[in-house]
Amino acid sequence: MHGLYVAHTHGQGCWPQTTEMLSQAEWGNAVLAKPADPLLLVVTCSPNVCAVQKLIGTNRKYFTNCKQWYQRKICGKSTVISYECCPGYEKVPGEKGCPAALPLSNIYETLGVVGSATTQLYSDRSNLRPEIEGPGSFTIFAPSNEAWASLPAETLDSLVSNVNIELLNALRYHMVNKRVLTDDLKHGTTLNSMYQDLPIQIHHYPNGIVTVNCARLLKADHHATNGVVHVIDKVISTTTNSIQQVIETEESLETLRAAVAASDLNSLLESEGQYTLLAPTNEAFEKIPRETLNRILGDPEALRDLLNHHILKSAMCAEAIIAGLTMETLEGTTLDVGCSGEELTLNGKAIIANKDVLATNGVVHFVNELLIPDSAKTLFELAQESEVSKSTDFFRQAGLSSHLTGSEQVTLLAPVNDVFKDGLPVVDSNMKNLLLNHIVRDQLSSKYLYHGQKLQTLGDKELRVFVYRNNLCIENACIAAHDKRGRFGTLFILDKMLTPPSGSVMDVLKADHRFSTLVAAIQSAGLTENLNRPGTFTVFAPTNEAFRAMPQGELNKLMGNAKELANILKFHVADEILVSGAVGALVRLKSMQGDKLEVSMKNNVIHINKEPVAESDIMATNGVIYAVNSVLQPQASRPQERGDEPADPALEIFKQASAVMLCVCPTQLALLLAAPVYSRLLARMKENSGGF
């Protein structure tokens, strides 16, 4: 057996919820339980045994329970789970777990037991010992031994060289003059320290991590006769500066300081609250092209959006980030905040240069890259950074860049790069006009578009909006991704090039030599006016090839019978517009003849009544045309089976049952048919179908 699966624990006397792999040497404090599955060994916790998650290669530990389990990884690094006695308990030889409760000691003695011997030593040197040995009810957030060892040498020297003042004051800042357990450590609250009542900031995050002035709580709730001890991973220091004052005193934030003043955000960053400022350094601003930076700095609205994009709505200490999470900014956008090893990341990039600079109203992390939100970008910048970058090259070649970089309020309908996988088309006057019809007047949002809406383009064309169950389309092209809303323009990402309509259905058919026979048939059947009038038609247009494929005699007969010809042609027309982007597995349309048409998608090919379509989405001002290489035939059916008339379920059941009744003896059948309900059904059937 290579290993055992051990349970995530609750702490004392818990039962597992999920299982993890643990080596043979790690389960000494666990009790083995044999489940129904012989291949799975489940371990339950012994009394007073707590789980510890250790980050491999470091001294970092996380004392976790079932509700705050980190899936064996912290910041992408693997962890090992071990077990130890919960606070205040110890092992007994021959007994399982940690059954023996230790007698309570005073805070001074407890410091030595919980792994904070250095704090105990400094309490003795600074003459704090008599106070924390004596009567009272205190809470001390005791730095671990490693926390003291990690202090800069000059900081530690200044403390220990003046133990009666500096060191004593520092230790008293770690204390609260009452007993405070972890259940009392609420997110966003402050506690008054025993040093000049200066505040200590508490944050209790949804993942279970608790921070004290951004120092992580390592071991909590070690009870003492005169209070409680919590072990933390840093030596905390007093803070009296607001976020605004941090900006004003840091030389590396000089450009940010000027930007904040220009956007009038000073008062916000001085106000009470709990914010996180991702403070761009001077270096971050210098990385931005000068033209872009000058544009943003000279535009008050874009500048405010830029700065608000760097401010999170809540205080987020670095120690609380153990996996990726999404945080909302004051601008209303979101940022992906995560970590990789020891580094914090923003949107997947390790750009945080200095973290956890605490302020009275939040925390500041210095970042060495500027985070420019979409709302501060031009259309050109939005497109260049997305999957439509080839479209921007296309518009630039056509001399239309000014519409994408200026302050004109427009919406760009940009096809995805895959549309141009074979290269960009040659730009001539016709192509330039087509591209102008991909720029809509006014800055739009797709969530406000509605079916039948008309959009006016810079090329003076009207584009129609079609709203379907599975797609939102503009003419033949459908929106393939979420909008990107810039400073003045919005980017709609489309799945193909637009084909603006040019003329009515009849105009389009007449202009295409493939449909000359169909045009003649429409004229013979007297349907020309119908297909010229305003409307919303979908026309499955048989090509000349489709008519040639018919037997000559059948074709002659059809063309010589205007009524039958009109009936067949109406079967090819539906009175609603269906573009190919709206076709899923199956869509049913009612034809103008009355029967149903079934439109489906198979292997990326549109089919109509199981016949493949030769060309889709030929747009007209009053509809859309599909070229088909066969003449569709309506199914011969009885009136009650027509697609536009609901079936009578009672009659259907009766007809099916009648076949079964043939097996019933004549006497029983006569009695059954004599019942009033069956008599009425028989009468209805005779009326509709002349008997059965």
Side-chain angles (χ1 to χ4, degrees):
M1 182 171 62
H2 297 292
L4 296 174
Y5 288 90
V6 297
H8 293 169
T9 71
H10 289 284
Q12 301 180 18
C14 65
W15 291 95
Q17 290 184 344
T18 58
T19 56
E20 296 287 352
M21 191 70 178
L22 192 66
S23 68
Q24 185 85 17
E26 292 179 293
W27 64 286
N29 286 327
V31 177
L32 185 64
K34 187 175 181 181
D37 185 349
L39 298 178
L40 180 65
L41 296 174
V42 180
V43 178
T44 61
C45 302
S46 300
N48 309 315
V49 174
C50 288
V52 184
Q53 195 170 5
K54 297 179 181 179
L55 193 59
I56 295 175
T58 73
N59 292 321
R60 296 174 69 180
K61 297 180 180 180
Y62 292 79
F63 294 78
T64 58
N65 57 40
C66 288
K67 292 181 181 178
Q68 289 92 38
W69 204 259
Y70 308 131
Q71 300 180 353
R72 298 301 296 264
K73 283 186 180 293
I74 294 173
C75 291
K77 302 297 182 182
S78 297
T79 61
V80 172
I81 301 170
S82 63
Y83 293 85
E84 61 183 50
C85 292
C86 294
Y89 296 89
E90 67 178 359
K91 294 181 181 180
V92 173
E95 298 286 335
K96 296 174 182 177
C98 305
L102 296 171
L104 291 183
S105 302
N106 58 52
I107 286 178
Y108 179 80
E109 296 295 335
T110 303
L111 288 172
V113 174
V114 299
S116 191
T118 306
T119 303
Q120 185 185 48
L121 172 66
Y122 288 156
S123 299
D124 194 10
R125 287 189 184 180
S126 63
N127 206 29
L128 180 64
R129 176 176 177 175
E131 186 171 9
I132 60 177
E133 281 183 328
S137 182
F138 310 110
T139 296
I140 183 167
F141 297 102
S144 66
N145 298 333
E146 293 82 5
W148 287 105
S150 65
L151 276 180
E154 61 273 16
T155 302
L156 188 58
D157 288 345
S158 68
L159 292 174
V160 298
S161 63
N162 192 349
V163 293
N164 292 326
I165 298 177
E166 295 294 336
L167 185 58
L168 177 62
N169 290 342
L171 290 172
R172 288 178 68 81
Y173 182 65
H174 287 73
M175 295 178 63
V176 177
N177 198 14
K178 61 180 178 180
R179 187 186 303 266
V180 183
L181 300 177
T182 47
D183 285 346
D184 304 314
L185 300 176
K186 306 298 183 184
H187 187 70
T189 59
T190 58
L191 300 172
N192 291 330
S193 75
M194 291 177 61
Y195 174 61
Q196 298 181 2
D197 279 341
L198 289 175
I200 299 173
Q201 295 183 22
I202 304 297
H203 293 98
H204 200 147
Y205 296 96
N207 59 13
I209 288 179
V210 179
T211 62
V212 181
N213 280 18
C214 283
R216 179 166 57 88
L217 207 64
L218 295 178
K219 295 182 180 180
D221 296 342
H222 290 269
H223 291 275
T225 56
N226 58 346
V228 62
V229 177
H230 304 289
V231 181
I232 57 177
D233 72 342
K234 292 185 182 71
V235 178
I236 63 175
S237 57
T238 62
T239 179
T240 56
N241 287 339
S242 66
I243 292 177
Q244 177 61 30
Q245 289 169 321
V246 172
I247 295 172
E248 290 174 353
T249 56
E250 285 287 341
E251 290 184 5
S252 63
L253 303 180
E254 183 180 358
T255 308
L256 175 62
R257 183 159 59 246
V260 167
S263 61
D264 199 27
L265 283 175
N266 309 61
S267 56
L268 172 72
L269 299 179
E270 288 174 341
S271 65
E272 292 185 3
Q274 286 294 304
Y275 303 108
T276 298
L277 173 64
L278 305 169
T281 61
N282 298 338
E283 176 189 352
F285 282 98
E286 290 167 1
K287 292 179 180 178
I288 301 300
R290 179 54 55 183
E291 181 181 354
T292 301
L293 184 58
N294 288 341
R295 176 181 60 78
I296 294 174
L297 294 177
D299 182 343
E301 186 171 335
L303 179 58
R304 178 173 282 271
D305 284 349
L306 172 73
L307 296 178
N308 282 337
H309 189 60
H310 287 76
I311 303 173
L312 305 181
K313 287 186 172 182
S314 59
M316 179 56 67
C317 296
E319 283 295 335
I321 301 170
I322 57 174
L325 68 159
T326 300
M327 301 288 293
E328 188 175 359
T329 70
L330 284 188
E331 194 226 351
T333 52
T334 57
L335 293 172
D336 293 328
V337 183
C339 55
S340 178
E342 296 293 323
E343 294 185 313
L344 290 186
T345 61
L346 289 173
N347 293 340
K349 300 170 69 176
I351 60 174
I352 295 182
N354 186 17
K355 58 191 178 184
D356 287 345
V357 178
L358 200 66
T360 56
N361 56 348
V363 61
V364 180
H365 305 295
F366 291 25
V367 296
N368 54 26
E369 284 191 21
L370 201 61
L371 307 170
I372 304 179
D374 286 352
S375 59
K377 295 176 181 176
T378 65
L379 266 175
F380 186 84
E381 291 164 348
L382 287 176
Q384 281 291 94
E385 298 167 1
S386 66
E387 60 269 44
V388 296
S389 56
K390 290 183 180 179
S391 286
T392 58
D393 293 338
F394 204 6
F395 282 92
R396 181 178 49 78
Q397 289 179 21
L400 301 176
S401 297
S402 61
H403 298 293
L404 311 185
T405 57
S407 58
E408 186 179 8
Q409 291 197 327
V410 293
T411 298
L412 178 65
L413 311 177
V416 294
N417 287 338
D418 282 350
V419 173
F420 306 111
K421 60 186 177 183
D422 296 325
L424 296 176
V426 176
V427 176
D428 54 19
S429 59
N430 290 333
M431 182 57 69
K432 182 173 182 177
N433 287 334
L434 178 59
L435 292 178
L436 280 171
N437 288 317
H438 282 73
I439 305 176
V440 175
R441 301 182 191 276
D442 204 1
Q443 186 175 15
L444 304 175
S445 171
S446 64
K447 63 184 177 182
Y448 295 116
L449 297 181
Y450 56 88
H451 192 73
Q453 184 177 0
K454 303 288 181 63
L455 309 178
Q456 193 72 31
T457 72
L458 295 186
D460 292 326
K461 288 281 189 181
E462 269 191 352
L463 304 178
R464 295 159 297 182
V465 176
F466 304 122
V467 179
Y468 300 104
R469 188 181 301 276
N470 63 336
N471 237 328
L472 175 61
C473 305
I474 301 172
E475 293 299 335
N476 60 302
C478 298
I479 295 177
H482 292 296
D483 306 357
K484 289 183 175 292
R485 188 176 180 86
R487 175 65 180 93
F488 297 105
T490 299
L491 176 66
F492 285 0
I493 298 173
L494 304 184
D495 61 356
K496 61 186 71 169
M497 287 284 287
L498 278 168
T499 306
S502 56
S504 68
V505 167
M506 281 305 297
D507 293 332
V508 174
L509 292 175
K510 287 178 181 178
D512 193 327
H513 64 86
R514 293 177 297 173
F515 303 116
S516 58
T517 306
L518 175 61
V519 169
I522 291 171
Q523 292 169 340
S524 297
L527 298 178
T528 304
E529 185 177 344
N530 286 13
L531 298 180
N532 265 328
R533 64 177 172 83
T536 54
F537 303 115
T538 296
V539 179
F540 298 97
T543 61
N544 296 341
E545 178 185 337
F547 285 102
R548 285 195 297 269
M550 292 181 67
Q552 190 61 46
E554 185 178 330
L555 178 59
N556 292 340
K557 182 180 177 181
L558 178 63
M559 291 300 188
N561 187 333
K563 183 177 180 180
E564 181 61 21
L565 180 59
N567 189 58
I568 290 290
L569 293 177
K570 286 179 180 179
F571 183 62
H572 289 73
V573 182
D575 198 9
E576 61 180 283
I577 294 179
L578 180 75
V579 298
S580 62
V583 179
L586 179 66
V587 179
R588 286 191 174 95
L589 299 175
K590 182 178 179 181
S591 73
M592 295 181 69
Q593 174 261 357
D595 284 354
K596 297 292 183 181
L597 295 165
E598 292 192 347
V599 189
S600 59
M601 176 78 76
K602 296 177 182 177
N603 300 321
N604 294 320
V605 177
I606 299 291
H607 288 69
I608 172 65
N609 288 3
K610 300 183 180 180
E611 295 291 334
V613 167
E615 184 180 350
S616 303
D617 298 334
I618 306 170
M619 306 308 295
T621 55
N622 59 345
V624 60
I625 299 168
Y626 292 82
V628 292
N629 288 328
S630 59
V631 177
L632 307 176
Q633 298 291 334
Q635 292 183 353
S637 59
R638 291 189 292 271
Q640 66 267 27
E641 294 177 336
R642 286 169 58 93
D644 57 334
E645 295 180 5
D648 187 330
L651 294 180
E652 292 299 318
I653 293 170
F654 191 86
K655 282 189 285 185
Q656 293 176 25
S658 65
V660 178
M661 289 183 198
L662 295 178
C663 300
V664 180
C665 69
T667 304
Q668 291 173 318
L669 180 59
L671 290 172
L672 185 62
L673 295 178
V677 63
Y678 287 101
S679 298
R680 289 194 295 271
L681 283 172
L682 280 168
R684 286 165 62 186
M685 290 185 67
K686 289 178 180 178
E687 179 184 343
N688 283 282
S689 59
F692 65 97

